[in-house]
Amino acid sequence: MRFLRVPDGMVKHHVGKIADAVAQLLLAWQPQSVFVTHIKEPPADHVATNLGVRGALQLYGRRVTVFEYPVWYWC
């Protein structure tokens, strides 16, 4: 587990930082699958996290299965 130290409520301002950091992890770990918050989650931070991870996947450039999961499914 890695923490990127992005302040709660401010993720949309750090999508590039997230993409760069996650891309480095992808290069190091070379996973076959990635789990990320669902793009249609209500909190803006969850949407921005999804965008950051998708940006990282583009930088990574290898085929990876992406699983989106809903955190606030019951709402």
Side-chain angles (χ1 to χ4, degrees):
M1 182 180 302
R2 301 272 192 225
F3 293 96
L4 301 181
R5 308 285 184 225
V6 176
D8 191 33
M10 301 300 291
V11 178
K12 67 182 178 183
H13 300 292
H14 298 278
V15 172
K17 174 185 174 180
I18 292 167
D20 291 340
V22 173
Q24 289 177 7
L25 296 174
L26 293 170
L27 288 168
W29 297 341
Q30 299 183 5
Q32 294 180 352
S33 54
V34 171
F35 291 77
V36 64
T37 52
H38 196 277
I39 192 69
K40 293 187 178 180
E41 278 280 294
D45 278 359
H46 294 195
V47 174
T49 299
N50 185 294
L51 294 173
V53 170
R54 291 204 176 266
L57 291 166
Q58 287 182 332
L59 293 171
Y60 181 54
R62 296 183 184 164
R63 190 173 178 91
V64 175
T65 302
V66 177
F67 295 94
E68 294 186 5
Y69 61 91
V71 175
W72 297 102
Y73 180 73
W74 58 87
C75 292

